[in-house]
Amino acid sequence: MSFWQILGRLAVSDTGETLQKLSDTTSVTCDGTTYTKMGSTTVGSDGSVFTQMGNFSTDGSTRMGSTATGIGAVFNERDDWPNSGAGASHAQKRFGIDDDTW
């Protein structure tokens, strides 16, 4: 399983893959696979389907703050994507890693 570092609207894996968030519902990988989010389900142009359950995904991946295992974990609720100037995300606050706790 790959490990992903989430950097704002970009996620980079330990294998060099990248995933860029284009909008609240659309993300694209470096190989051209497009992921579309519809509610708690994300569908990939490669035929993959993920369902999010908080910080977990049906592909067995999980996310804590800005680190994730597996590509499904980067598809969390909009509030879980870190965005500059907007304060800590819901997930970051839950795990105690927002700016106010450091």
Side-chain angles (χ1 to χ4, degrees):
M1 181 169 286
S2 57
F3 292 90
W4 291 80
Q5 181 67 39
I6 303 167
L7 309 164
R9 298 179 77 79
L10 181 72
V12 181
S13 79
D14 58 339
T15 60
E17 296 174 276
T18 60
L19 181 130
Q20 184 174 2
K21 185 176 179 192
L22 302 178
S23 70
D24 288 341
T25 59
T26 306
S27 300
V28 65
T29 63
C30 57
D31 68 0
T33 304
T34 301
Y35 294 98
T36 305
K37 184 173 174 62
M38 297 172 281
S40 64
T41 301
T42 300
V43 178
S45 61
D46 61 356
S48 59
V49 178
F50 303 99
T51 301
Q52 298 79 41
M53 299 160 286
N55 291 328
F56 302 94
S57 179
T58 53
D59 67 348
S61 62
T62 187
R63 173 177 169 182
M64 287 185 67
S66 62
T67 304
T69 61
I71 196 166
V74 300
F75 302 111
N76 288 308
E77 292 302 318
R78 179 174 52 185
D79 290 344
D80 285 345
W81 280 87
N83 39 22
S84 57
S89 73
H90 202 55
Q92 289 170 321
K93 289 177 185 174
R94 188 169 40 246
F95 290 107
I97 56 175
D98 62 272
D99 290 340
D100 294 335
T101 62
W102 291 101

Coordinates of all heavy atoms in Angstrom, one line a residue:
M1 N 0.8 -1.2 0.0 CA 0.0 0.0 0.0 C 0.9 1.2 0.0 O 1.9 1.3 0.7 CB -0.9 0.0 1.2 CG -1.8 1.2 1.3 SD -3.2 1.1 2.5 CE -4.2 -0.1 1.7
S2 N 0.5 2.2 -0.7 CA 1.3 3.5 -0.8 C 1.0 4.4 0.3 O -0.1 4.3 0.9 CB 1.0 4.2 -2.2 OG -0.3 4.4 -2.3
F3 N 1.9 5.3 0.6 CA 1.7 6.3 1.6 C 1.7 7.7 0.9 O 2.5 8.0 0.1 CB 2.8 6.3 2.7 CG 2.8 5.0 3.5 CD1 3.4 3.9 3.1 CD2 2.0 5.0 4.7 CE1 3.4 2.7 3.8 CE2 2.0 3.8 5.4 CZ 2.6 2.7 5.0
W4 N 0.7 8.5 1.3 CA 0.5 9.8 0.7 C 0.7 10.9 1.6 O 0.2 10.8 2.8 CB -0.9 9.9 0.1 CG -1.2 8.9 -1.0 CD1 -1.4 7.6 -1.0 CD2 -1.2 9.3 -2.4 NE1 -1.6 7.1 -2.2 CE2 -1.4 8.1 -3.2 CE3 -1.0 10.5 -3.1 CZ2 -1.5 8.1 -4.5 CZ3 -1.0 10.5 -4.5 CH2 -1.3 9.3 -5.2
Q5 N 1.4 12.0 1.2 CA 1.5 13.2 1.9 C 0.6 14.2 1.3 O 0.7 14.5 0.1 CB 2.9 13.7 1.9 CG 3.2 15.0 2.7 CD 3.0 14.8 4.2 OE1 3.4 13.8 4.7 NE2 2.4 15.7 4.8
I6 N -0.4 14.8 2.0 CA -1.4 15.7 1.5 C -0.9 17.1 1.7 O -0.7 17.5 2.9 CB -2.7 15.5 2.1 CG1 -3.2 14.0 1.8 CG2 -3.8 16.4 1.5 CD1 -4.3 13.5 2.6
L7 N -0.7 17.9 0.6 CA -0.1 19.2 0.7 C -1.1 20.2 0.1 O -1.0 20.5 -1.1 CB 1.2 19.3 0.0 CG 2.2 18.2 0.3 CD1 3.3 18.1 -0.7 CD2 2.8 18.5 1.7
G8 N -2.1 20.6 0.9 CA -3.1 21.5 0.3 C -4.0 20.7 -0.7 O -4.6 19.7 -0.4
R9 N -3.9 21.2 -2.0 CA -4.7 20.6 -3.1 C -3.9 19.6 -3.8 O -4.4 19.0 -4.8 CB -5.2 21.7 -4.0 CG -6.1 22.7 -3.3 CD -6.6 23.8 -4.2 NE -7.6 23.4 -5.1 CZ -8.9 23.3 -4.8 NH1 -9.3 23.5 -3.5 NH2 -9.8 23.0 -5.7
L10 N -2.7 19.2 -3.4 CA -1.9 18.2 -4.0 C -1.5 17.1 -3.0 O -1.2 17.4 -1.9 CB -0.6 18.9 -4.5 CG 0.4 18.0 -5.3 CD1 -0.2 17.7 -6.7 CD2 1.7 18.7 -5.4
A11 N -1.6 15.9 -3.5 CA -1.1 14.8 -2.7 C 0.0 14.0 -3.5 O -0.1 13.8 -4.7 CB -2.3 13.8 -2.4
V12 N 1.1 13.7 -2.7 CA 2.2 13.0 -3.4 C 2.4 11.7 -2.6 O 2.5 11.7 -1.4 CB 3.5 13.9 -3.3 CG1 4.6 13.2 -3.9 CG2 3.2 15.2 -3.9
S13 N 2.6 10.6 -3.4 CA 2.8 9.3 -2.7 C 4.3 9.0 -2.6 O 5.1 9.6 -3.2 CB 2.1 8.2 -3.6 OG 2.9 7.8 -4.7
D14 N 4.6 8.0 -1.8 CA 6.0 7.6 -1.6 C 6.6 6.9 -2.9 O 7.8 6.8 -3.0 CB 6.1 6.6 -0.5 CG 5.3 5.3 -0.6 OD1 4.3 5.4 -1.4 OD2 5.6 4.3 0.1
T15 N 5.7 6.6 -3.9 CA 6.2 6.1 -5.2 C 6.3 7.2 -6.2 O 6.6 6.8 -7.4 CB 5.3 4.9 -5.6 OG1 4.0 5.5 -5.8 CG2 5.3 3.8 -4.6
G16 N 6.0 8.4 -5.9 CA 6.2 9.5 -6.8 C 4.9 9.9 -7.6 O 4.9 10.8 -8.4
E17 N 3.8 9.2 -7.3 CA 2.5 9.5 -7.9 C 2.0 10.8 -7.3 O 2.3 11.1 -6.2 CB 1.5 8.4 -7.7 CG 1.8 7.1 -8.3 CD 0.8 6.1 -7.9 OE1 1.0 5.5 -6.8 OE2 -0.2 5.9 -8.6
T18 N 1.3 11.6 -8.1 CA 0.6 12.8 -7.6 C -0.8 12.8 -7.9 O -1.3 12.2 -8.8 CB 1.3 14.1 -8.2 OG1 1.1 14.0 -9.6 CG2 2.7 14.2 -7.9
L19 N -1.6 13.4 -7.0 CA -3.0 13.6 -7.2 C -3.3 15.1 -6.9 O -2.9 15.6 -5.9 CB -3.8 12.7 -6.2 CG -5.3 12.8 -6.4 CD1 -5.9 11.4 -6.5 CD2 -5.9 13.5 -5.2
Q20 N -4.0 15.7 -7.9 CA -4.3 17.1 -7.7 C -5.8 17.3 -7.6 O -6.5 16.8 -8.4 CB -3.8 18.0 -8.8 CG -4.0 19.4 -8.7 CD -3.3 20.3 -9.8 OE1 -2.7 19.7 -10.7 NE2 -3.5 21.6 -9.6
K21 N -6.2 18.1 -6.6 CA -7.7 18.4 -6.4 C -8.0 19.6 -7.3 O -7.4 20.7 -7.1 CB -8.0 18.6 -5.0 CG -9.4 18.8 -4.7 CD -9.7 19.0 -3.3 CE -11.2 19.3 -3.1 NZ -11.6 19.7 -1.8
L22 N -8.9 19.4 -8.3 CA -9.2 20.5 -9.2 C -10.4 21.3 -8.7 O -10.5 22.5 -8.9 CB -9.5 19.9 -10.6 CG -8.4 19.1 -11.3 CD1 -8.9 18.6 -12.6 CD2 -7.2 20.0 -11.4
S23 N -11.3 20.6 -8.0 CA -12.5 21.2 -7.4 C -13.0 20.4 -6.3 O -12.4 19.4 -5.9 CB -13.6 21.4 -8.5 OG -14.2 20.1 -8.8
D24 N -14.1 20.8 -5.7 CA -14.7 20.0 -4.5 C -15.1 18.6 -5.0 O -15.2 17.7 -4.1 CB -15.9 20.7 -3.9 CG -15.5 22.0 -3.2 OD1 -14.3 22.1 -2.8 OD2 -16.4 22.8 -2.9
T25 N -15.3 18.4 -6.2 CA -15.8 17.1 -6.7 C -14.8 16.4 -7.6 O -15.1 15.2 -8.0 CB -17.2 17.2 -7.4 OG1 -17.0 18.1 -8.5 CG2 -18.2 17.7 -6.4
T26 N -13.8 17.0 -8.1 CA -12.9 16.4 -9.1 C -11.5 16.5 -8.8 O -11.0 17.5 -8.4 CB -13.1 17.1 -10.5 OG1 -14.5 17.1 -10.8 CG2 -12.3 16.4 -11.6
S27 N -10.8 15.3 -8.9 CA -9.3 15.2 -8.7 C -8.8 14.4 -9.8 O -9.4 13.6 -10.4 CB -9.0 14.5 -7.4 OG -9.6 15.2 -6.3
V28 N -7.5 14.6 -10.1 CA -6.8 13.9 -11.2 C -5.4 13.5 -10.8 O -4.7 14.2 -10.1 CB -6.8 14.8 -12.5 CG1 -5.9 16.0 -12.3 CG2 -6.3 14.0 -13.7
T29 N -5.0 12.3 -11.2 CA -3.7 11.8 -10.9 C -2.7 12.1 -12.1 O -3.1 12.5 -13.2 CB -3.7 10.2 -10.7 OG1 -4.1 9.6 -11.9 CG2 -4.6 9.8 -9.6
C30 N -1.4 11.9 -11.8 CA -0.4 12.2 -12.8 C -0.5 11.3 -14.0 O -0.1 11.6 -15.1 CB 1.0 12.0 -12.2 SG 1.3 10.4 -11.4
D31 N -1.2 10.1 -13.9 CA -1.4 9.2 -15.0 C -2.7 9.5 -15.8 O -3.0 8.8 -16.8 CB -1.3 7.7 -14.6 CG -2.5 7.3 -13.8 OD1 -3.4 8.1 -13.5 OD2 -2.5 6.1 -13.4
G32 N -3.4 10.5 -15.4 CA -4.6 11.0 -16.1 C -5.9 10.4 -15.6 O -6.9 10.7 -16.1
T33 N -5.9 9.6 -14.5 CA -7.1 9.1 -14.0 C -7.8 10.2 -13.3 O -7.3 10.9 -12.5 CB -6.8 7.9 -13.0 OG1 -6.0 6.9 -13.6 CG2 -8.1 7.3 -12.4
T34 N -9.1 10.4 -13.6 CA -9.9 11.4 -13.0 C -10.9 10.8 -12.0 O -11.5 9.7 -12.3 CB -10.7 12.1 -14.1 OG1 -9.8 12.7 -15.0 CG2 -11.6 13.2 -13.5
Y35 N -11.0 11.4 -10.8 CA -11.9 10.9 -9.8 C -12.9 11.9 -9.5 O -12.7 13.1 -9.4 CB -11.1 10.6 -8.5 CG -10.1 9.5 -8.6 CD1 -8.8 9.7 -8.8 CD2 -10.5 8.2 -8.5 CE1 -7.9 8.7 -9.0 CE2 -9.6 7.1 -8.6 CZ -8.3 7.4 -8.8 OH -7.4 6.4 -9.0
T36 N -14.2 11.4 -9.5 CA -15.3 12.3 -9.3 C -16.0 11.9 -8.0 O -16.4 10.8 -7.9 CB -16.3 12.3 -10.5 OG1 -15.6 12.6 -11.7 CG2 -17.4 13.2 -10.3
K37 N -16.2 12.9 -7.1 CA -16.9 12.6 -5.8 C -18.4 12.9 -6.0 O -18.8 14.0 -6.4 CB -16.2 13.5 -4.8 CG -16.8 13.2 -3.4 CD -16.0 14.0 -2.4 CE -16.5 13.9 -1.0 NZ -16.6 12.6 -0.5
M38 N -19.2 12.0 -5.5 CA -20.7 12.1 -5.5 C -21.1 11.7 -4.1 O -21.3 10.5 -3.9 CB -21.3 11.3 -6.6 CG -20.9 11.7 -8.0 SD -21.5 10.6 -9.3 CE -20.2 9.3 -9.1
G39 N -21.3 12.7 -3.2 CA -21.7 12.3 -1.9 C -20.5 11.6 -1.2 O -19.4 12.1 -1.2
S40 N -20.7 10.5 -0.6 CA -19.7 9.8 0.1 C -19.0 8.8 -0.8 O -18.1 8.0 -0.4 CB -20.2 9.0 1.3 OG -21.1 8.1 0.9
T41 N -19.4 8.7 -2.1 CA -18.8 7.8 -3.1 C -17.9 8.5 -4.1 O -18.3 9.6 -4.6 CB -19.9 7.0 -3.8 OG1 -20.7 6.3 -2.9 CG2 -19.3 6.1 -4.8
T42 N -16.8 8.0 -4.4 CA -15.9 8.5 -5.4 C -15.7 7.5 -6.5 O -15.4 6.3 -6.2 CB -14.5 8.9 -4.8 OG1 -14.7 9.9 -3.8 CG2 -13.6 9.5 -5.9
V43 N -15.8 7.9 -7.8 CA -15.7 7.0 -8.9 C -14.5 7.5 -9.7 O -14.4 8.6 -10.1 CB -17.0 7.0 -9.8 CG1 -16.9 6.1 -11.0 CG2 -18.2 6.6 -8.9
G44 N -13.6 6.5 -10.1 CA -12.5 6.8 -10.9 C -12.8 6.5 -12.4 O -13.5 5.6 -12.7
S45 N -12.1 7.3 -13.3 CA -12.3 7.0 -14.7 C -11.7 5.6 -15.1 O -11.9 5.1 -16.2 CB -11.6 8.1 -15.5 OG -10.2 8.2 -15.3
D46 N -10.9 5.0 -14.2 CA -10.3 3.7 -14.4 C -11.3 2.6 -14.0 O -10.9 1.4 -14.0 CB -9.0 3.6 -13.7 CG -9.1 3.7 -12.2 OD1 -10.2 4.0 -11.7 OD2 -8.0 3.6 -11.6
G47 N -12.5 3.0 -13.5 CA -13.5 2.0 -13.0 C -13.5 1.7 -11.5 O -14.3 1.0 -11.0
S48 N -12.6 2.4 -10.8 CA -12.5 2.2 -9.4 C -13.6 2.9 -8.7 O -14.1 3.9 -9.2 CB -11.2 2.6 -8.8 OG -10.9 4.0 -9.1
V49 N -14.1 2.4 -7.5 CA -15.1 3.0 -6.7 C -14.7 3.0 -5.3 O -14.3 1.9 -4.8 CB -16.5 2.3 -6.9 CG1 -17.5 3.0 -6.0 CG2 -16.9 2.3 -8.4
F50 N -14.7 4.1 -4.6 CA -14.4 4.2 -3.2 C -15.6 4.8 -2.4 O -16.3 5.7 -2.9 CB -13.2 5.2 -3.0 CG -12.0 4.8 -3.7 CD1 -11.6 5.4 -4.9 CD2 -11.1 3.8 -3.2 CE1 -10.5 5.1 -5.6 CE2 -10.0 3.5 -3.9 CZ -9.7 4.1 -5.1
T51 N -15.8 4.3 -1.2 CA -16.8 4.9 -0.3 C -16.1 5.4 0.9 O -15.3 4.7 1.5 CB -17.9 3.9 0.0 OG1 -18.5 3.5 -1.2 CG2 -18.9 4.6 0.9
Q52 N -16.3 6.7 1.3 CA -15.6 7.2 2.5 C -16.5 7.1 3.7 O -17.7 7.2 3.6 CB -15.4 8.7 2.3 CG -14.4 9.1 1.1 CD -15.1 9.0 -0.2 OE1 -16.3 9.5 -0.3 NE2 -14.5 8.4 -1.2
M53 N -15.8 6.8 4.8 CA -16.5 6.7 6.1 C -15.6 7.4 7.1 O -14.8 6.8 7.7 CB -16.6 5.2 6.5 CG -17.5 4.4 5.5 SD -17.2 2.6 5.6 CE -15.6 2.5 4.9
G54 N -15.8 8.7 7.1 CA -14.9 9.6 8.0 C -13.5 9.6 7.4 O -13.3 10.0 6.3
N55 N -12.5 9.2 8.2 CA -11.2 9.2 7.7 C -10.8 7.9 7.1 O -9.6 7.6 6.7 CB -10.2 9.4 8.9 CG -10.3 10.8 9.4 OD1 -10.6 11.8 8.6 ND2 -10.1 11.0 10.7
F56 N -11.7 7.0 6.8 CA -11.5 5.7 6.3 C -12.1 5.5 4.9 O -13.1 6.2 4.6 CB -12.0 4.6 7.2 CG -11.4 4.6 8.6 CD1 -12.0 5.3 9.6 CD2 -10.2 4.1 8.8 CE1 -11.5 5.4 10.8 CE2 -9.6 4.1 10.1 CZ -10.2 4.8 11.1
S57 N -11.6 4.6 4.1 CA -12.2 4.4 2.8 C -12.3 2.9 2.6 O -11.6 2.1 3.2 CB -11.2 4.9 1.7 OG -11.7 4.7 0.4
T58 N -13.2 2.5 1.7 CA -13.4 1.0 1.5 C -12.3 0.3 0.8 O -12.3 -0.9 0.7 CB -14.7 0.8 0.6 OG1 -14.6 1.6 -0.6 CG2 -16.0 1.2 1.3
D59 N -11.2 1.0 0.4 CA -10.1 0.3 -0.1 C -9.1 -0.1 1.0 O -8.0 -0.6 0.8 CB -9.3 1.1 -1.2 CG -8.7 2.4 -0.7 OD1 -9.0 2.8 0.5 OD2 -7.9 3.0 -1.4
G60 N -9.5 0.1 2.2 CA -8.7 -0.2 3.4 C -7.8 0.9 3.8 O -7.0 0.7 4.7
S61 N -7.8 2.0 3.2 CA -6.9 3.1 3.5 C -7.5 4.0 4.7 O -8.7 3.9 5.0 CB -6.7 4.0 2.3 OG -7.8 4.6 1.8
T62 N -6.6 4.7 5.3 CA -7.0 5.6 6.3 C -6.2 6.9 6.2 O -5.2 7.0 5.6 CB -6.7 5.0 7.7 OG1 -7.3 5.8 8.7 CG2 -5.3 4.7 8.0
R63 N -6.7 7.9 6.9 CA -6.0 9.2 6.9 C -5.9 9.8 8.3 O -6.9 9.8 9.0 CB -6.7 10.2 5.9 CG -6.2 11.6 6.0 CD -6.9 12.5 5.0 NE -6.5 13.9 5.3 CZ -7.0 14.9 4.7 NH1 -7.9 14.7 3.7 NH2 -6.6 16.1 5.0
M64 N -4.8 10.4 8.6 CA -4.6 11.1 9.9 C -3.9 12.4 9.5 O -2.7 12.4 9.1 CB -3.8 10.3 10.9 CG -4.5 9.1 11.5 SD -3.6 8.3 12.8 CE -3.5 9.5 14.0
G65 N -4.6 13.5 9.7 CA -4.0 14.8 9.3 C -3.7 14.9 7.9 O -4.5 14.7 7.0
S66 N -2.4 15.2 7.6 CA -2.0 15.3 6.2 C -1.3 14.1 5.6 O -0.6 14.2 4.6 CB -1.1 16.5 6.1 OG 0.1 16.4 6.8
T67 N -1.4 12.9 6.3 CA -0.8 11.7 5.8 C -1.9 10.7 5.6 O -2.8 10.6 6.4 CB 0.2 11.2 6.9 OG1 1.2 12.2 7.1 CG2 0.9 9.9 6.4
A68 N -1.7 9.9 4.5 CA -2.7 8.9 4.2 C -2.1 7.6 3.7 O -1.0 7.7 3.2 CB -3.7 9.4 3.2
T69 N -2.7 6.5 3.9 CA -2.3 5.2 3.3 C -3.3 4.9 2.2 O -4.5 4.9 2.4 CB -2.2 4.1 4.3 OG1 -3.5 3.9 4.8 CG2 -1.3 4.4 5.4
G70 N -2.9 4.6 1.0 CA -3.8 4.2 -0.1 C -4.5 5.4 -0.7 O -4.7 6.4 0.0
I71 N -4.8 5.4 -1.9 CA -5.3 6.5 -2.6 C -6.8 6.9 -2.2 O -7.1 8.0 -2.2 CB -5.3 6.3 -4.2 CG1 -5.5 7.6 -4.9 CG2 -6.3 5.2 -4.6 CD1 -5.2 7.6 -6.4
G72 N -7.5 5.9 -1.7 CA -8.9 6.2 -1.3 C -9.0 7.1 -0.1 O -9.9 7.9 0.0
A73 N -7.9 7.2 0.7 CA -7.9 8.0 1.9 C -7.9 9.5 1.6 O -8.2 10.3 2.4 CB -6.8 7.7 2.8
V74 N -7.4 9.9 0.4 CA -7.4 11.3 0.0 C -8.7 11.9 -0.3 O -8.9 13.1 -0.5 CB -6.3 11.6 -1.1 CG1 -5.0 11.2 -0.7 CG2 -6.7 11.0 -2.4
F75 N -9.7 11.0 -0.5 CA -11.1 11.5 -0.8 C -11.9 11.5 0.4 O -12.8 10.7 0.6 CB -11.7 10.5 -1.8 CG -10.9 10.4 -3.1 CD1 -10.2 9.2 -3.4 CD2 -10.7 11.5 -3.9 CE1 -9.5 9.1 -4.5 CE2 -10.0 11.4 -5.1 CZ -9.3 10.2 -5.4
N76 N -11.7 12.5 1.2 CA -12.5 12.7 2.4 C -13.5 13.9 2.2 O -13.5 14.5 1.1 CB -11.6 13.1 3.6 CG -10.8 11.8 4.1 OD1 -11.4 10.8 4.3 ND2 -9.5 12.0 4.2
E77 N -14.3 14.2 3.2 CA -15.2 15.3 3.1 C -14.4 16.6 2.8 O -13.3 16.7 3.2 CB -16.0 15.4 4.4 CG -17.0 14.3 4.6 CD -18.0 14.1 3.5 OE1 -18.5 15.1 3.0 OE2 -18.2 13.0 3.1
R78 N -15.1 17.5 2.2 CA -14.4 18.8 1.8 C -13.7 19.4 3.0 O -12.6 19.9 2.8 CB -15.5 19.7 1.3 CG -14.9 21.1 0.9 CD -15.9 22.0 0.2 NE -17.1 22.1 1.0 CZ -18.2 22.7 0.6 NH1 -18.2 23.3 -0.5 NH2 -19.2 22.8 1.4
D79 N -14.3 19.4 4.2 CA -13.6 20.0 5.3 C -12.3 19.3 5.7 O -11.5 19.9 6.4 CB -14.5 20.0 6.5 CG -15.7 21.0 6.4 OD1 -15.6 21.8 5.5 OD2 -16.7 20.8 7.1
D80 N -12.1 18.1 5.3 CA -10.9 17.3 5.6 C -9.7 17.7 4.7 O -8.6 17.3 5.0 CB -11.1 15.8 5.6 CG -11.9 15.3 6.7 OD1 -12.1 16.1 7.7 OD2 -12.5 14.2 6.7
W81 N -9.9 18.5 3.6 CA -8.8 18.9 2.8 C -8.2 20.1 3.4 O -8.9 21.1 3.6 CB -9.3 19.2 1.4 CG -9.5 18.0 0.5 CD1 -10.6 17.2 0.5 CD2 -8.5 17.4 -0.3 NE1 -10.4 16.2 -0.4 CE2 -9.1 16.3 -0.9 CE3 -7.2 17.7 -0.7 CZ2 -8.5 15.5 -1.8 CZ3 -6.6 16.9 -1.6 CH2 -7.2 15.8 -2.1
P82 N -6.9 20.1 3.8 CA -6.3 21.3 4.3 C -6.4 22.5 3.3 O -6.1 22.2 2.1 CB -4.9 20.9 4.6 CG -4.9 19.5 4.6 CD -6.0 19.0 3.7
N83 N -6.7 23.6 3.7 CA -6.7 24.8 2.8 C -6.1 26.0 3.5 O -6.4 26.2 4.7 CB -8.0 25.1 2.2 CG -9.2 25.0 3.1 OD1 -9.0 25.0 4.3 ND2 -10.4 24.8 2.6
S84 N -5.2 26.7 2.9 CA -4.5 27.7 3.5 C -5.4 28.8 4.0 O -6.3 29.2 3.2 CB -3.4 28.3 2.6 OG -4.0 28.7 1.4
G85 N -5.2 29.3 5.2 CA -6.0 30.5 5.7 C -7.3 30.1 6.2 O -8.0 31.0 6.8
A86 N -7.7 28.9 6.1 CA -9.1 28.5 6.6 C -9.1 27.8 7.9 O -10.1 27.4 8.4 CB -9.8 27.6 5.6
G87 N -7.9 27.7 8.6 CA -7.8 27.1 9.9 C -7.7 25.6 9.7 O -7.6 25.1 8.7
A88 N -7.7 24.9 10.8 CA -7.5 23.5 10.8 C -8.7 22.7 10.4 O -9.8 23.2 10.6 CB -7.1 23.0 12.2
S89 N -8.5 21.6 9.7 CA -9.6 20.8 9.2 C -10.3 20.1 10.3 O -9.7 20.0 11.4 CB -9.1 19.8 8.1 OG -8.4 18.8 8.7
H90 N -11.4 19.5 10.0 CA -12.1 18.7 11.0 C -11.3 17.6 11.5 O -11.2 17.3 12.7 CB -13.4 18.2 10.4 CG -14.5 17.8 11.3 ND1 -15.0 18.7 12.3 CD2 -15.2 16.7 11.5 CE1 -15.9 18.1 13.0 NE2 -16.0 16.8 12.5
A91 N -10.6 16.9 10.6 CA -9.7 15.7 11.0 C -8.5 16.2 11.8 O -8.2 15.6 12.8 CB -9.2 15.0 9.7
Q92 N -7.9 17.3 11.4 CA -6.8 17.8 12.2 C -7.2 18.2 13.6 O -6.5 17.9 14.5 CB -6.2 19.1 11.5 CG -5.5 18.7 10.2 CD -5.2 20.0 9.4 OE1 -5.9 20.9 9.4 NE2 -4.0 20.0 8.8
K93 N -8.3 18.8 13.8 CA -8.8 19.1 15.1 C -9.1 17.9 15.9 O -8.7 17.8 17.1 CB -10.1 20.0 15.1 CG -9.8 21.4 14.6 CD -11.1 22.1 14.4 CE -10.9 23.5 13.8 NZ -12.1 24.2 13.5
R94 N -9.6 16.8 15.3 CA -10.0 15.6 16.0 C -8.7 14.9 16.5 O -8.7 14.3 17.6 CB -10.7 14.7 15.1 CG -11.3 13.5 15.7 CD -12.3 12.7 14.9 NE -12.0 12.6 13.5 CZ -12.7 13.2 12.5 NH1 -13.7 13.9 12.7 NH2 -12.3 13.0 11.2
F95 N -7.6 15.0 15.7 CA -6.4 14.4 16.2 C -5.4 15.3 16.9 O -4.3 15.0 17.1 CB -5.7 13.7 14.9 CG -6.4 12.5 14.4 CD1 -7.1 12.6 13.3 CD2 -6.4 11.4 15.2 CE1 -7.8 11.5 12.8 CE2 -7.2 10.3 14.7 CZ -7.8 10.3 13.5
G96 N -5.9 16.6 17.2 CA -5.1 17.5 17.9 C -3.9 18.1 17.2 O -2.8 18.3 17.9
I97 N -4.0 18.3 15.9 CA -2.8 18.8 15.2 C -3.1 20.1 14.5 O -2.4 20.5 13.6 CB -2.2 17.8 14.2 CG1 -3.3 17.3 13.2 CG2 -1.6 16.6 14.9 CD1 -2.8 16.4 12.1
D98 N -4.1 20.8 15.0 CA -4.3 22.2 14.5 C -3.3 23.1 15.0 O -2.6 22.8 16.0 CB -5.7 22.7 14.7 CG -6.0 22.8 16.2 OD1 -6.5 21.8 16.8 OD2 -5.8 23.9 16.7
D99 N -3.1 24.3 14.4 CA -2.1 25.2 14.8 C -2.1 25.7 16.3 O -1.1 26.0 16.9 CB -2.1 26.5 13.9 CG -1.7 26.2 12.5 OD1 -1.0 25.1 12.3 OD2 -2.1 26.9 11.6
D100 N -3.3 25.7 16.8 CA -3.5 26.2 18.2 C -2.9 25.2 19.2 O -2.7 25.6 20.4 CB -4.9 26.4 18.5 CG -5.5 27.6 17.7 OD1 -4.7 28.4 17.3 OD2 -6.7 27.6 17.5
T101 N -2.7 24.0 18.9 CA -2.2 23.0 19.9 C -0.7 22.8 19.9 O -0.2 22.1 20.7 CB -2.8 21.6 19.7 OG1 -2.5 21.1 18.4 CG2 -4.3 21.7 19.8
W102 N 0.0 23.4 18.9 CA 1.5 23.3 18.9 C 2.2 24.3 19.7 O 1.9 25.4 19.8 CB 2.0 23.3 17.4 CG 1.5 22.1 16.7 CD1 0.5 22.0 15.8 CD2 2.1 20.8 16.8 NE1 0.3 20.7 15.4 CE2 1.3 19.9 15.9 CE3 3.1 20.2 17.5 CZ2 1.6 18.6 15.8 CZ3 3.4 18.9 17.3 CH2 2.6 18.1 16.5

